[in-house]
Amino acid sequence: MSQLLISQPHDASVEAPNQVETTVSVGGMTCAACAARVEKVLRTVEGVTTVEVNYGTEQATVTHSAEAITFEQLQAAIIGVGYTALRPGEARQAQLEQKETEQQKELKVLAVKITVSGIVATLAMSLMFLPGLLPVRWQLVVLCLMVTPVQFWAGWQFHRKAFSALRHLSVDMNVLISIGTFSAYLYSLTITVMAFVYPSMSTQHNYYETSAMIITLILVGRYLEVKAKRATFDAITALIRLQPQTALLVREEEIVEVDVDQVQIGDTVMVRPGQRIPVDGLVTAGRSSIDESMVTGESIPVYKTVGDEVISGTVNGTGSLNFLVQKVGDETVLAQIIRLVESAQGSKAPIQTLADRVTSIFVPIVIGVSVLTFSCWFFLVGDPLANALTFFISVLIVACPCALGLATPTAVVAGVGRGAEQGILIKSAPILEVIHRIKTVVFDKTGTLTEGHPRVTDIATSNGHQENHLLLLAATLESKSEHPLAEAIIRACTDRDLQIEKVEITNFEAVVGFGVQGDLGGKWIRCGSRRLMEKEGIQLLGMDIDRETEYTKEGKTVIWVSVENQLAGLIAVADTIKPNATTALQKLRRMGLQTVMLTGDSAKTASIVAEQLSIDQAVAEVLPADKAQVIEDLQARGGMVAMVGDGINDAPALAQADVGIAVGTGTDVALETADIVLMKSDLAHVTTAIQLSRQTVNTIRWNLVWAFSYNLLGIPVAAGLFATLGVTLNPMLAAGAMACSSVLVVTNSLRLRNF
């Protein structure tokens, strides 16, 4: 649809100082004139500065005075000229409810059709076994009256799609179904009419029950297919419904409840205990635990404090939080997750594309084989018309590639949906078919295998000092420093709930290359390297030096602390390995995959981390721009490569790899560059993603094997090649076998929901 933008020129000179932007979803617009009409009426509302109506997206963006105009006034103006007006969130919800209603209606209609056609088919078969109940001719009339609604009402969707396909000079499974059922129905109808002209014709076998049963069984397969799609739609709907409709905006120390669409980047939002986070942001005040399970799959609530990120749709715990808004609308992590899942489930995998091509060739061949079968039995063998028609219909029905068409999409939908439930976002269906062939998994070190920021790992005290006291002394002095190690010490106090006292620090000095020192409440404190202690003549014991050596071997940085020229203790700081990294790498090795680590750190640090994690190969001192070259070199050696990174400085490598996997909460670069985004920080989900791919591909393969085998084995039997051995396939039995194969394929795919 073409896009029409109508806007009123923006005049900054007349703009009120407190302007806000409101988006309204407008329903009922059918042309550009409608958009112009909406734009005109909104422009007449007093206090409106600019108006932009997008006919393509059916939205109006209005800039207006925050005090003078409410959403209800804009809504009333639009409704007044004959259109509907909703908040974007409400409009999306209405669309969901409409789609959900349509699916429920489709399922109900299918259930009614299955019931009616099933009863008709059963009664039709019963009349076959009750001879003499009615005169034969009138029995044919009764069968015709019962089956006609089934043929034209219950089976209309197949006939309509078949006609559409033939009109576009293509064939699909609906063509086979339509030709097969109409052959049975029209042949039986001919016998019914001729029986009143030539009574002997009434003894000919009819296929009314076959037509009804074929449609019934195919409708059952269709019902299962819709149910499978409904399960995935429910998962997406559940995600969308996590988005709150309102937010508590902090304005000049006042709390104002506004529509979430009015929240803008840079605003401050308050979240009370038990409320959902309305938009993405950064905590500026307060502490709380947040349940992120609905977005990341992580069952344990995550503790949040100042500086931590919060995600829209997650549930706040017992504390109250203020946070700075960073993402709104379609840019939030939740919105991007929904888009990714919808996109992946709507994309076609290579195997599915292959199946579509095979189907387009297979269907004409089947029609040709069925015509050849009829010709051979009727013209060459000289069988009665009824027998020849039986073989003709049987071939059409048994060869119907419904199972072939369902083999891939049902597995992909189930696999992508199950991955999303576990916090594994797969951006496209082809990735599911690629990742299982990975031979090498490359990990970025900082932020992927490690926490990404230094943390205090060990505290060793001397001369009677206590751990917490030593930590507070160091944190208080380091609060004047901007060094990353200072942040680690201050963060350690926060983790231990230690409050840093506001003590005046005088004579503070940062000794370049050594550390910091200063007067803290009348006591001279030093924090720095051993060289600083030795330089100032502070006595170090052998046991202290031994501790430093031990920490250094583990790749840790040691900070020495002295009070009044006397050693107080040592604090070891390191970028610690994530708790789940070791287990994840062990699983990968058991799966037969090679592991490689990339880092910009020194060879010594890389060697220590690689040894702790038992990584096969470590490449150190690599700049972010050079990581892609390392990936390319690994690919040149043979085998497919997956790159696992945090999605920021690893973007080139993520793009170069055969499969890019971003670990974290879904940064912009990660979502743009990576093929798979792991919402959890648990590296074990790397193996889970690979196992899910293997399971999905295995399911698709077995679906295709069954579908192809069924058709290849069923066609010769249906064509009567084994008739001399007494082995034939009645059209009704052929329809049952075909429906069973479709049910088997769908059921096999749905097993992935339990992965």
Side-chain angles (χ1 to χ4, degrees):
M1 181 181 295
S2 61
Q3 194 177 60
L4 174 67
L5 293 178
I6 303 176
S7 62
Q8 177 182 351
H10 178 76
D11 186 355
S13 63
V14 297
E15 182 178 326
N18 190 9
Q19 296 282 294
V20 295
E21 189 177 89
T22 298
T23 302
V24 185
S25 289
V26 183
M29 293 191 297
T30 58
C31 62
C34 295
R37 190 178 182 190
V38 172
E39 184 267 341
K40 182 177 180 180
V41 72
L42 287 174
R43 192 168 49 184
T44 62
V45 178
E46 186 177 355
V48 169
T49 306
T50 63
V51 179
E52 184 179 277
V53 178
N54 190 319
Y55 171 55
T57 60
E58 296 186 327
Q59 286 189 337
T61 303
V62 185
T63 304
H64 59 86
S65 169
E67 293 81 7
I69 296 178
T70 64
F71 176 86
E72 286 70 21
Q73 289 176 282
L74 300 175
Q75 185 180 43
I78 296 172
I79 293 175
V81 291
Y83 302 97
T84 61
L86 294 171
R87 295 179 176 88
E90 294 174 338
R92 183 74 185 269
Q93 190 67 32
Q95 290 174 353
L96 282 174
E97 291 173 356
Q98 181 181 359
K99 188 172 182 180
E100 188 174 10
T101 301
E102 289 173 355
Q103 285 188 333
Q104 289 176 342
K105 182 179 179 181
E106 183 178 8
L107 287 173
K108 287 180 180 178
V109 170
L110 284 171
V112 171
K113 288 183 176 180
I114 290 170
T115 302
V116 172
S117 59
I119 292 173
V120 169
T122 303
L123 291 175
M125 286 188 291
S126 300
L127 288 176
M128 293 172 55
F129 300 104
L130 295 174
L133 186 64
L134 287 172
V136 177
R137 287 182 294 179
W138 291 108
Q139 182 172 307
L140 289 172
V141 172
V142 171
L143 285 172
C144 180
L145 293 175
M146 288 194 305
V147 173
T148 297
V150 174
Q151 178 68 26
F152 290 95
W153 169 66
W156 177 248
Q157 58 179 310
F158 307 116
H159 308 321
R160 177 173 53 82
K161 292 177 181 178
F163 176 76
S164 178
L166 292 173
R167 190 162 55 90
H168 292 89
L169 302 179
S170 64
V171 289
D172 58 14
M173 61 189 71
N174 293 296
V175 174
L176 290 184
I177 295 170
S178 188
I179 292 176
T181 55
F182 264 117
S183 297
Y185 174 80
L186 293 176
Y187 174 78
S188 303
L189 180 63
T190 301
I191 291 176
T192 303
V193 174
M194 294 299 293
F196 285 89
V197 179
Y198 303 103
S200 60
M201 291 291 294
S202 61
T203 59
Q204 294 290 327
H205 183 72
N206 69 83
Y207 294 106
Y208 281 125
E209 80 290 344
T210 300
S211 172
M213 185 56 71
I214 289 171
I215 290 174
T216 301
L217 293 173
I218 293 173
L219 286 172
V220 170
R222 172 62 182 164
Y223 182 87
L224 292 173
E225 182 184 354
V226 174
K227 286 282 286 185
K229 290 180 178 178
R230 173 69 187 275
T232 303
F233 173 75
D234 288 344
I236 296 175
T237 303
L239 283 173
I240 293 174
R241 286 176 176 167
L242 294 177
Q243 176 70 59
Q245 296 299 312
T246 61
L248 297 176
L249 205 59
V250 181
R251 287 179 178 167
E252 299 178 356
E253 299 185 358
E254 289 185 358
I255 308 300
V256 182
E257 185 172 7
V258 300
D259 298 326
V260 71
D261 303 306
Q262 290 184 293
V263 177
Q264 299 180 10
I265 295 174
D267 287 343
T268 298
V269 171
M270 169 186 274
V271 182
R272 291 171 177 156
Q275 291 183 332
R276 289 194 184 275
I277 309 294
V279 291
D280 294 359
L282 202 67
V283 177
T284 57
R287 298 178 183 178
S288 185
S289 293
I290 294 182
D291 180 4
E292 298 183 339
S293 59
M294 63 288 299
V295 175
T296 66
E298 186 65 55
S299 59
I300 300 174
V302 182
Y303 181 75
K304 301 286 184 178
T305 186
V306 176
D308 291 332
E309 294 181 347
V310 291
I311 306 172
S312 62
T314 57
V315 181
N316 187 25
T318 56
S320 181
L321 294 175
N322 282 15
F323 65 89
L324 184 69
V325 177
Q326 293 185 315
K327 295 179 182 178
V328 296
D330 290 340
E331 298 304 316
T332 63
V333 170
L334 180 61
Q336 293 182 64
I337 290 173
I338 294 167
R339 284 204 305 271
L340 285 176
V341 175
E342 289 177 331
S343 174
Q345 291 180 337
S347 61
K348 282 192 174 184
I351 291 181
Q352 183 180 352
T353 304
L354 173 63
D356 291 342
R357 289 200 302 267
V358 170
T359 301
S360 65
I361 298 172
F362 182 73
V363 171
I365 292 176
V366 168
I367 294 175
V369 169
S370 60
V371 171
L372 180 62
T373 300
F374 175 85
S375 301
C376 289
W377 284 104
F378 185 69
F379 295 110
L380 296 181
V381 178
D383 259 27
L385 177 63
N387 287 351
L389 191 61
T390 297
F391 291 125
F392 171 78
I393 297 172
S394 296
V395 170
L396 286 176
I397 299 305
V398 80
C400 183
C402 291
L404 187 62
L406 294 172
T408 301
T410 53
V412 168
V413 166
V416 171
R418 184 56 178 159
E421 289 174 359
Q422 297 192 345
I424 302 171
L425 305 182
I426 301 166
K427 293 181 69 172
S428 64
I431 294 301
L432 275 173
E433 296 185 45
V434 172
I435 192 172
H436 77 284
R437 300 201 300 270
I438 293 297
K439 300 298 181 184
T440 303
V441 183
V442 180
F443 290 89
D444 168 58
K445 181 182 81 69
T446 306
T448 302
L449 293 174
T450 66
E451 296 290 353
H453 49 77
R455 301 184 70 90
V456 172
T457 59
D458 304 274
I459 300 176
T461 60
S462 299
N463 297 314
H465 288 274
Q466 299 296 318
E467 280 192 11
N468 287 350
H469 178 64
L470 175 65
L471 192 60
L472 276 172
L473 283 175
T476 305
L477 182 63
E478 294 283 8
S479 65
K480 300 283 285 185
S481 172
E482 297 179 355
H483 197 280
L485 297 183
E487 296 178 9
I489 294 174
I490 295 170
R491 191 182 301 111
C493 288
T494 304
D495 293 341
R496 296 188 179 204
D497 291 326
L498 300 177
Q499 188 68 37
I500 300 176
E501 297 180 6
K502 295 183 179 180
V503 180
E504 184 180 358
I505 303 172
T506 58
N507 299 319
F508 177 83
E509 180 185 6
V511 185
V512 180
F514 289 88
V516 295
Q517 58 185 2
D519 190 305
L520 189 67
K523 293 182 179 180
W524 193 257
I525 311 296
R526 293 186 179 91
C527 293
S529 64
R530 191 173 84 182
R531 291 190 302 160
L532 177 62
M533 302 294 120
E534 293 173 342
K535 175 176 175 290
E536 299 298 334
I538 296 172
Q539 184 180 2
L540 306 179
L541 300 178
M543 60 181 297
D544 298 319
I545 296 174
D546 290 342
R547 284 174 179 168
E548 182 192 44
T549 303
E550 178 185 344
Y551 294 152
T552 304
K553 285 182 179 179
E554 295 173 355
K556 301 173 183 176
T557 300
V558 178
I559 299 172
W560 296 72
V561 183
S562 69
V563 179
E564 292 291 292
N565 294 321
Q566 186 181 54
L567 184 67
L570 296 81
I571 300 175
V573 177
D575 183 6
T576 55
I577 294 173
K578 289 183 177 179
N580 47 53
T582 303
T583 305
L585 288 164
Q586 288 174 348
K587 288 182 179 179
L588 289 173
R589 285 192 295 274
R590 286 198 295 269
M591 293 168 66
L593 301 175
Q594 181 186 12
T595 55
V596 177
M597 181 184 72
L598 298 182
T599 179
D601 283 344
S602 65
K604 179 181 179 181
T605 302
S607 176
I608 292 171
V609 175
E611 184 177 351
Q612 291 175 338
L613 293 173
S614 300
I615 289 177
D616 297 322
Q617 180 183 354
V619 183
E621 301 178 4
V622 181
L623 296 176
D626 298 328
K627 290 181 179 180
Q629 184 60 49
V630 176
I631 300 294
E632 190 174 348
D633 293 341
L634 289 170
Q635 291 170 324
R637 297 176 194 171
M640 303 187 75
V641 178
M643 172 67 191
V644 185
D646 59 17
I648 301 173
N649 60 357
D650 300 314
L654 289 169
Q656 175 63 40
D658 296 290
V659 177
I661 304 175
V663 179
T665 54
T667 61
D668 289 337
V669 177
L671 291 171
E672 288 295 330
T673 309
D675 301 301
I676 297 175
V677 178
L678 307 182
M679 296 304 295
K680 297 182 183 180
S681 59
D682 190 348
L683 289 178
H685 276 66
V686 175
T687 61
T688 303
I690 296 174
Q691 290 170 336
L692 176 61
S693 170
R694 291 180 175 181
Q695 187 76 18
T696 303
V697 171
N698 189 51
T699 299
I700 293 173
R701 285 173 176 169
W702 275 109
N703 285 349
L704 292 175
V705 166
W706 170 254
F708 278 116
S709 300
Y710 162 81
N711 287 321
L712 292 176
L713 294 175
I715 290 176
V717 177
L721 296 183
F722 303 100
T724 55
L725 301 176
V727 180
T728 57
L729 193 60
N730 182 276
M732 186 176 64
L733 295 178
M738 182 273 294
C740 287
S741 70
S742 298
V743 171
L744 177 63
V745 163
V746 173
T747 304
N748 189 42
S749 296
L750 290 180
R751 289 192 306 116
L752 288 168
R753 302 286 299 171
N754 300 320
F755 173 79

